[in-house]
Amino acid sequence: MNWIYDLTIVLYALSITGYFIDFLQNNRKANQFAFWLLSIVWVLQTVFFVLRMLEDQRFPILTPSEGLFFYAWILVTFSVVMSKFFRVDFLVFFTNVLGFLLVSIHLFAPTGQASAVIEKQLISELLIIHITMAFISYGAFSLSFIFSFMYLIQHGMLKKKKWSKRLQRFGSLSYLEKLSFRLNTVGVPLLLLSLILGVIWAFWKINNFTLLDVKVISSFIVLLVYSTYLYQKVARGVQGKTLALWNTAAFLVVLINYFLASTFTEFHLWYK
C-alpha cells in the first residue's frame, strides 16, 4: 500500500501549488482545484488515522511519530475549514507547507514500526518524488526563460522598428510576459516542496549531512531569486523588459545550481 503514501504527497503538493497560484493571480478555479485535492488528502489521512486506531485499540498519539501525524492531520483539517469558510489564502498556503513537511516526515521517516525493507522502499520513493518535482520545477523555469527571451527579442525588434512576418509569430509582448509569469508561479512552490522532501531524505540517508552543503545552499538561492521575481511582479508591479531581464538572470542561477554546484558536493551521488 506504499503507493497511497506517494499519492498523498503528490496530491498535497498539487494542492499547495494551486493555492499558491490562486494567491498570486486571484484564480478561483485554481483555488477550487486546490481545495478538492486538499479534501482528498484529508480523507486519506483520516482513513490512516482510523485504521491505526482500530489496529492498536487506542487513540494513536502516544509515540512521537503518531503525535506528528496527528499534528499534521489537525493542520490539514484547519486548512480545509479555512478554505471552505474563510478567505485567508496566504495563511492557508503557509499552513499547508508546514503540514506538508510534517506529513512527509511521518510517512517517509524510519520509525521502526515497519520492516527494514519497507522503510528502505519508502525512502527510495521519497527520493524519486523529490527528483521528479525538482525537474518539473526546472522545466517550468526553462519554459519561462524561453518566453522571456522571446520577449526581449521582440522588444528589441519593435524598438528598432524591424517589422516582419516572423515578428507576428512571436505573440504579443503581454502574452509572452503572462506565460512566463504563470510558469514561475508553478515552478516556485514545486521547488519549495521538492527541497523539503530532499532535506528530509538527506537527513535519513547521508551521514553528517548539513544544510550548509553547497548544493543545498545554491538550491535555496534559486528559490529566493524566483521568489523575488514573483514579488517584483505582484507586489511592486514591475513588468516589461526589466522583469524579462530579471527572469533571464534567474535562469542563469538555475544553470549554475544544476551544473556548477554539483561539482562541489556529494549530495546527489545517491548510489555511490
Side-chain angles (χ1 to χ4, degrees), residues 85-254:
F85 299 104
F86 304 97
R87 185 64 175 169
V88 281
D89 299 319
F90 209 51
L91 176 62
V92 170
F93 172 73
F94 278 111
T95 300
N96 281 315
V97 170
L98 177 59
F100 181 86
L101 171 64
L102 298 178
V103 169
S104 300
I105 294 175
H106 172 79
L107 293 181
F108 294 106
T111 62
Q113 298 177 349
S115 68
V117 174
I118 293 178
E119 288 184 347
K120 184 177 180 180
Q121 181 179 350
L122 286 173
I123 293 294
S124 177
E125 291 171 354
L126 170 62
L127 177 62
I128 293 173
I129 297 174
H130 156 67
I131 296 173
T132 301
M133 292 175 62
F135 275 118
I136 292 175
S137 68
Y138 282 4
F141 294 148
S142 300
L143 291 176
S144 177
F145 159 73
I146 292 173
F147 285 123
S148 289
F149 188 66
M150 292 171 61
Y151 181 100
L152 292 173
I153 293 176
Q154 185 177 7
H155 182 274
M157 294 174 66
L158 289 173
K159 194 170 183 180
K160 295 178 181 179
K161 297 182 179 180
K162 292 184 178 180
W163 307 98
S164 67
K165 292 184 178 180
R166 291 183 179 178
L167 186 63
Q168 298 176 358
R169 300 177 65 180
F170 272 72
S172 67
L173 291 176
S174 60
Y175 182 67
L176 293 174
E177 183 175 313
K178 181 173 66 175
L179 290 178
S180 180
F181 169 68
R182 287 183 175 178
L183 284 166
N184 283 341
T185 60
V186 173
V188 167
L190 286 180
L191 179 59
L192 171 62
L193 300 179
S194 172
L195 291 176
I196 290 175
L197 295 179
V199 169
I200 293 173
W201 174 86
F203 269 117
W204 292 111
K205 292 295 292 183
I206 299 179
N207 295 328
N208 302 319
F209 169 72
T210 172
L211 290 174
L212 298 179
D213 183 277
V214 174
K215 184 64 176 180
V216 177
I217 294 175
S218 63
S219 296
F220 276 102
I221 289 176
V222 171
L223 180 64
L224 177 62
V225 170
Y226 275 98
S227 297
T228 304
Y229 164 92
L230 295 178
Y231 173 79
Q232 297 283 346
K233 170 69 174 178
V234 176
R236 300 188 60 187
V238 176
Q239 56 185 350
K241 183 180 178 180
T242 301
L243 196 66
L245 288 172
W246 182 280
N247 196 38
T248 302
F251 186 68
L252 293 179
V253 178
V254 172

Side-chain angles (χ1 to χ4, degrees), residues 56-99:
D56 296 341
Q57 295 296 307
R58 61 179 176 82
F59 199 67
I61 59 171
L62 300 181
T63 68
S65 176
E66 292 172 348
L68 190 66
F69 180 77
F70 185 62
Y71 182 20
W73 179 83
I74 289 177
L75 289 179
V76 175
T77 302
F78 284 165
S79 296
V80 171
V81 173
M82 286 188 295
S83 297
K84 183 65 177 179
F85 299 104
F86 304 97
R87 185 64 175 169
V88 281
D89 299 319
F90 209 51
L91 176 62
V92 170
F93 172 73
F94 278 111
T95 300
N96 281 315
V97 170
L98 177 59

